[in-house]
Amino acid sequence: MLTSNRLRQQLAQQQTVFGLIASVPVPIMVEMIAYAGFDFVIIDMEHVMINPETVEHMIRAAEQSGITPLVRIPEINAKVILRVLDSGAMGIVIPQVETKEQIEAVIQAAKYFPIGQRSMNSGRPSVFGRDNLVDYMDRANQEIMIVPMIETVKGVEHIHKILSVKGVDMVLEGAADLSQSYGVPWQTEHPHVRQALDHIQQVAADQQIPYCAIPRQPDQYDYWQGKGVQAYVLGDERGIAFRALQSKLAQFPVASAIPSKEQSHNYK
């Protein structure tokens, strides 16, 4: 059911919040992220093959474990947005935003009248019609978050117009794709990329819209904290799990346990 958006409340109270991208499409990973202490999770539909039922189960896991579920959609598509929100998502993360028209289209699909034209339904967010549906529509318009990702040079150039659209609740950086857009793939510390991120954050601050950074090193966290940034995404659980597995294996002399070519012949 639709509840108060805890992430929105935390940002309004100027609390520091931490999120993680859920790239492993299973509900138990959302529970692990929640119980590890994160404040919000971004369920990824952009880079992950995932079916709608799994998305709903992951949202349900977030609800049960007390973490705010956002969903990163693969593209701006009104039907996808509708189904994600009808499944209970508390916000939409939009990749590759470059124009204000894109955000306006998302708001039309994600918000009910008088803000938008989201198709009406009495599904699980309104407890299948148990709640007053008119009241539910008003609460949904207040609680659902719209979060554009800025990942291209064009998006940076149009950031003033993008963030001028009423209804943007947070802006998320995309330094990796941004580095490629600037012609320096994976060089997220390149001066062009750093200047672009600084510009996005400054415009967001001027518009009083929370900026969400993705610090890849501890000193980057310190840097953004010094600029008053409250929201952080600490990567995805897939990368964290992979590095943890590598670290665990490195603690043991595994090389001696692997048969040499000569030894392997004895097993045939």
Side-chain angles (χ1 to χ4, degrees):
M1 62 178 290
L2 180 72
T3 59
S4 296
N5 191 319
R6 184 167 173 264
L7 173 59
R8 177 190 285 279
Q9 294 175 348
Q10 290 172 304
L11 291 171
Q13 295 167 3
Q14 298 188 330
Q15 297 179 22
T16 298
V17 293
F18 295 96
L20 206 62
I21 296 173
S23 297
V24 180
V26 290
I28 196 169
M29 291 304 299
V30 173
E31 292 179 315
M32 290 175 67
I33 293 167
Y35 294 133
F38 286 86
D39 301 288
F40 65 100
V41 62
I42 300 175
I43 299 168
D44 194 11
M45 295 179 68
E46 182 190 15
H47 290 286
V48 178
M49 294 294 289
I50 183 171
N51 64 54
E53 292 84 359
T54 299
V55 173
E56 185 171 294
H57 288 322
M58 293 173 76
I59 291 170
R60 185 177 288 110
E63 293 170 346
Q64 293 300 312
S65 53
I67 192 171
T68 302
L70 310 179
V71 175
R72 179 163 67 178
I73 57 176
E75 60 184 347
I76 297 175
N77 180 299
K79 292 299 183 183
V80 172
I81 293 170
L82 175 65
R83 290 165 185 161
V84 163
L85 293 178
D86 281 354
S87 294
M90 297 300 293
I92 300 292
V93 177
I94 312 102
Q96 301 284 328
V97 174
E98 298 183 322
T99 69
K100 74 171 187 175
E101 287 79 15
Q102 290 175 300
I103 292 299
E104 290 170 343
V106 170
I107 290 174
Q108 281 295 304
K111 303 287 186 176
Y112 292 113
F113 178 86
I115 301 172
Q117 291 293 320
R118 175 182 167 186
S119 180
M120 293 183 289
N121 180 266
S122 58
R124 65 182 307 270
S126 66
V127 197
F128 307 101
R130 185 196 69 182
D131 294 349
N132 180 287
L133 293 178
V134 175
D135 290 344
Y136 159 72
M137 290 168 62
D138 182 61
R139 289 190 295 111
N141 279 352
Q142 295 178 38
E143 301 296 344
I144 300 301
M145 296 179 67
I146 305 298
V147 183
M149 289 190 72
I150 308 300
E151 305 181 270
T152 66
V153 173
K154 186 176 179 180
V156 175
E157 292 172 345
H158 292 171
I159 189 63
H160 284 93
K161 292 182 179 180
I162 292 169
L163 297 188
S164 71
V165 178
K166 186 177 181 180
V168 174
D169 298 289
M170 184 168 74
V171 57
L172 176 60
E173 62 121 304
D177 278 350
L178 195 55
S179 69
Q180 178 169 248
S181 185
Y182 276 106
V184 287
W186 285 119
Q187 298 181 47
T188 56
E189 286 294 294
H190 190 280
H192 291 336
V193 179
R194 297 305 309 171
Q195 290 168 12
L197 297 182
D198 281 337
H199 179 59
I200 298 167
Q201 188 273 328
Q202 186 58 60
V203 174
D206 292 343
Q207 300 275 11
Q208 297 185 319
I209 295 172
Y211 173 83
C212 186
I214 306 179
R216 292 160 177 82
Q217 301 294 335
D219 63 326
Q220 294 177 5
Y221 173 66
D222 296 337
Y223 175 78
W224 290 119
Q225 269 206 315
K227 294 177 76 68
V229 172
Q230 304 166 236
Y232 302 90
V233 167
L234 305 185
D236 65 30
E237 92 287 55
R238 182 174 54 187
I240 291 172
F242 179 74
R243 289 186 290 273
L245 290 169
Q246 284 186 312
S247 177
K248 186 67 175 179
L249 192 60
Q251 297 175 21
F252 298 89
V254 294
S256 62
I258 300 175
S260 65
K261 289 183 179 180
E262 291 76 12
Q263 291 174 317
S264 65
H265 291 313
N266 297 328
Y267 299 147
K268 293 181 180 179

